[in-house]
Amino acid sequence: DAGITQSPRHKVTETGTPVTLRCHQTENHRYMYWYRQDPGHGLRLIHYSYGVKDTDKGEVSDGYSVSRSKTEDFLLTLESATSSQTSVYFCAISETGQPYGYTFGSGTRLTVV
Amino acid sequence: LAKTTQPISMDSYEGQEVNITCSHNNIATNDYITWYQQFPSQGPRFIIQGYKTKVTNEVASLFIPADRKSSTLSLPRVSLSDTAVYYCLVGPQGANDYKLSFGAGTTVTVRA
């Protein structure tokens, strides 16, 4: 989607290695989110940010950390990747945090082997 | 956010109207009903939101009865490109509500 870019789009990594996914926005929106999507589970919130250096946990945060040192970038790190973290990861941004205003990126497909 | 229940899947044919009902018995007074659509290999996108009665835009209509314990998303005359997952979310508007949670949604498959 315009204004939000996720990188990489695809990644294969080995169990136990660290992985960082990047979400970059050009909209200057305050709120940024990381979700994972798995078959049968819909999208589940991992972490979110409500400002630079302001982050909090979502419903499935174990094994993940995030950082937001600039308004435009929100990084998701898997400190030691496991096979259970194989998933599609989506980043979203929101100007106000209102339910109608989320814009999602195109996703990163991560495979941990 | 209030708990919602929606069908796992629905099948339809081109040109038909598709109605997806979402149950939200515990909806609060200040809750709004929001629907997102997700095409294959893409992130979800907002399609419609309502509080009561009926809302219509270029994509869909949203019908909300007086008791607001359910809502129905209506997709008129669907085409193959309407094949997607549709998510119903219920929650309050406000500065503190910045954690949307999506359930499994309803997978709508449109056939020729």
Side-chain angles (χ1 to χ4, degrees):
Chain A
D1 280 14
I4 179 171
T5 305
Q6 290 186 233
S7 59
R9 292 296 311 278
H10 299 88
K11 185 171 182 65
V12 179
T13 192
E14 294 185 348
T15 299
T17 61
V19 177
T20 295
L21 308 183
R22 182 186 184 224
C23 179
H24 179 77
Q25 61 148 328
T26 59
E27 304 296 324
N28 200 36
H29 285 178
R30 176 183 178 186
Y31 300 95
M32 299 185 76
Y33 315 81
W34 277 108
Y35 289 86
R36 61 176 289 174
Q37 185 168 39
D38 305 290
H41 290 279
L43 288 102
R44 293 180 291 176
L45 182 64
I46 305 171
H47 281 281
Y48 62 96
S49 170
Y50 45 96
V52 174
K53 298 186 179 180
D54 291 324
T55 65
D56 206 347
K57 298 178 180 179
E59 58 185 307
V60 290
S61 59
D62 288 348
Y64 302 95
S65 62
V66 291
S67 66
R68 190 169 179 200
S69 58
K70 299 183 292 184
T71 298
E72 57 265 36
D73 289 324
F74 193 33
L75 304 180
L76 177 70
T77 298
L78 290 66
E79 301 291 347
S80 177
T82 67
S83 59
S84 64
Q85 294 175 311
T86 292
S87 186
V88 179
Y89 292 85
F90 286 99
C91 175
I93 61 175
S94 172
E95 183 175 16
T96 63
Q98 301 301 309
Y100 57 80
Y102 281 45
T103 301
F104 282 80
S106 299
T108 294
R109 182 172 296 275
L110 176 68
T111 303
V112 183
V113 297
Chain B
L1 298 181
K3 179 177 171 58
T4 60
T5 302
Q6 54 183 120
I8 295 296
S9 63
M10 299 181 69
D11 289 341
S12 183
Y13 291 91
E14 284 189 296
Q16 291 187 335
E17 179 180 77
V18 173
N19 295 306
I20 308 169
T21 296
C22 179
S23 297
H24 28 80
N25 292 317
N26 296 322
I27 190 168
T29 303
N30 58 342
D31 283 346
Y32 281 69
I33 300 153
T34 309
W35 286 81
Y36 277 74
Q37 173 190 56
Q38 184 179 22
F39 296 119
S41 301
Q42 295 185 27
R45 67 164 188 156
F46 167 79
I47 52 173
I48 200 166
Q49 183 184 61
Y51 182 79
K52 61 181 179 180
T53 63
K54 176 183 174 182
V55 180
T56 297
N57 62 23
E58 66 278 4
V59 177
S61 294
L62 179 60
F63 298 92
I64 306 167
D67 67 6
R68 304 200 326 124
K69 294 184 180 299
S70 68
S71 58
T72 298
L73 178 73
S74 180
L75 307 173
R77 298 180 298 281
V78 294
S79 64
L80 296 177
S81 63
D82 290 313
T83 293
V85 180
Y86 294 83
Y87 299 93
C88 170
L89 301 97
V90 173
Q93 302 285 61
N96 294 325
D97 183 47
Y98 43 74
K99 298 182 291 181
L100 275 189
S101 289
F102 295 73
T106 297
T107 299
V108 172
T109 303
V110 181
R111 307 181 192 280

